[in-house]
């Protein structure tokens, strides 16, 4: 009898795969959206930078004039002692926090709130940025780092700029030990072993050394022990120009029959 798949072991929630939150240094959230921000601006100063093992970007410790301190994701170009503003009357400068309705089109932004007041959920990884591309009465359109276009509530807040730390993946690890410690800091699953390199008892794709492999497509109702690969995929691989034209013609034919 084979052993459980990696995703089955992770799904059980064992300590081996649980993120070590006791080693993480801070939560990153905007301050509460109070009257001071809605009607004006709250100013602060960058007092320190923190390297949190749970994140790829540096954090900055901001001391506000109200006496409150917050950990925020640092943008490119920020320095110690730099000023930072939050509120409807804040300037459009790196690190400042404004509602999306007040950020001009084409401005790079990060740490975007999903719903008003949640403290920031999107675009928080090192080197990433999104762009405001359009404003409407009840929505603001943003182009995400994946090139996906997403709409947000105009009252949602975001930080101006690009997340610091871009290019951190360009330097190679050089040694397996370096990657081991990097993965261990977050309890990531590493190394990643290919399913086709395993024995047949260890993975549904295993045991293929002496005969042709099998399709990687599995059905939607496949039991958990075999649910690996492309789940309920229509096609696998890149379509050639001829196949694309054939599929386009099939769609036209189907629409023509439906309209009769």
């Amino acid at each position: 009898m084979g052993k459980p798949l990696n995703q089955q072991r992770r799904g059980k929630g064992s300590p081996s795969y649980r993120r070590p939150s006791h080693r993480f240094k801070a939560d990153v959230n905007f301050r509460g959206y109070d009257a001071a921000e809605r009607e004006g601006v709250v100013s602060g100063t960058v007092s320190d930078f923190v390297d949190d093992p749970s994140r790829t970007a540096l954090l900055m410790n901001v001391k506000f004039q109200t006496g409150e301190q917050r950990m925020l994701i640092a943008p490119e170009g920020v320095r110690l002692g730099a000023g930072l503003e939050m509120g409807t009357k804040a300037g459009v400068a790196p690190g400042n926090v404004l509602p999306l309705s007040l950020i001009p089109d084409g401005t790079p932004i990060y740490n975007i709130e999903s719903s008003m007041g949640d403290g920031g959920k999107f675009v928080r990884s090192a080197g990433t940025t999104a762009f405001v591309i359009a404003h409407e009465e009840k929505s603001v359109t943003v182009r995400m780092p994946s090139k996906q276009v997403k709409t947000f509530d105009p009252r949602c807040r975001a930080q101006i700029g690009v997340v610091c730390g871009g290019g951190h993946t360009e330097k190679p690890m050089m040694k397996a030990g370096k990657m081991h410690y990097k993965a261990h800091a977050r309890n990531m699953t590493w190394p990643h072993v290919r399913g086709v390199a395993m024995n047949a008892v260890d993975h549904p794709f295993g045991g293929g050394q002496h005969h042709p492999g099998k399709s990687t497509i599995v059905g939607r109702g496949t039991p958990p022990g075999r649910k690996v690969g492309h789940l309920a995929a229509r096609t696998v691989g890149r379509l050639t120009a001829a196949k694309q034209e054939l599929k386009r013609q099939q769609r036209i034919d189907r629409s023509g029959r439906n309209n009769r």
Side-chain angles (χ1 to χ4, degrees):
M1 183 175 179
K3 64 183 180 182
L5 301 174
N6 282 340
Q7 56 264 43
Q8 292 173 322
R9 295 178 63 197
R10 295 180 67 181
K12 292 172 67 174
S14 67
S16 299
Y17 297 97
R18 197 172 298 146
R19 291 176 68 84
S21 57
H22 62 280
R23 292 204 295 261
F24 300 164
K25 297 184 179 179
D27 292 330
V28 175
N29 288 302
F30 297 145
R31 62 187 303 276
Y33 197 38
D34 53 11
E37 284 196 37
R38 287 194 298 267
E39 300 172 2
V41 63
V42 177
S43 301
T45 304
V46 179
S47 61
D48 192 15
F49 291 111
V50 177
D51 186 8
D52 190 349
S54 67
R55 306 176 192 281
T56 55
L58 279 178
L59 304 183
M60 56 182 180
N61 187 16
V62 182
K63 293 184 178 180
F64 292 98
Q65 61 187 10
T66 59
E68 184 182 4
Q69 293 191 30
R70 285 276 172 177
M71 284 287 188
L72 298 177
I73 298 175
E76 288 186 355
V78 73
R79 57 179 176 79
L80 281 177
L84 184 141
E85 297 177 338
M86 299 181 68
T88 56
K89 296 185 179 179
V92 182
N96 287 358
V97 181
L98 291 88
L100 289 174
S101 60
L102 301 178
I103 300 177
D105 290 351
T107 304
I109 58 174
Y110 67 96
N111 200 14
I112 310 168
E113 289 184 330
S114 176
S115 58
M116 186 183 69
D118 66 13
K121 299 295 182 184
F122 294 103
V123 193
R124 293 155 66 99
S125 191
T128 57
T129 187
F131 291 91
V132 178
I133 58 176
H135 287 78
E136 296 182 11
E137 183 179 356
K138 295 184 178 180
S139 66
V140 175
T141 305
V142 176
R143 190 181 71 198
M144 308 298 280
S146 63
K147 304 299 185 291
Q148 178 188 4
V149 176
K150 190 174 178 65
T151 58
F152 292 89
D153 189 312
R155 298 171 295 176
C156 291
R157 293 172 292 175
Q159 284 185 262
I160 307 296
V162 180
V163 182
C164 71
H168 71 284
T169 59
E170 295 176 3
K171 182 180 179 180
M173 287 287 112
M174 302 301 292
K175 298 194 300 182
K178 292 282 189 180
M179 187 61 202
H180 166 79
Y181 287 112
K182 178 182 178 181
H184 178 69
R186 301 180 197 171
N187 279 17
M188 296 190 299
T189 56
W190 187 86
H192 300 288
V193 181
R194 294 172 298 131
V196 294
M198 299 183 187
N199 295 323
V201 296
D202 295 326
H203 196 276
F205 292 172
Q209 289 86 350
H210 304 294
H211 57 80
K214 63 184 71 173
S215 173
T216 58
I217 299 178
V218 296
R220 183 69 68 191
T222 304
R226 292 190 58 85
K227 210 159 194 178
V228 292
H230 296 85
L231 306 183
R234 295 181 180 177
T235 58
V236 175
R238 184 175 295 174
L239 292 176
T240 62
K243 288 183 178 180
Q244 288 178 348
E245 179 61 26
L246 177 62
K247 292 180 76 67
R248 188 182 69 85
Q249 191 61 43
Q250 289 174 346
R251 287 196 299 268
I252 294 174
D253 294 342
R254 285 197 299 268
S255 62
R257 288 195 299 267
N258 294 335
N259 293 332
R260 290 173 186 170

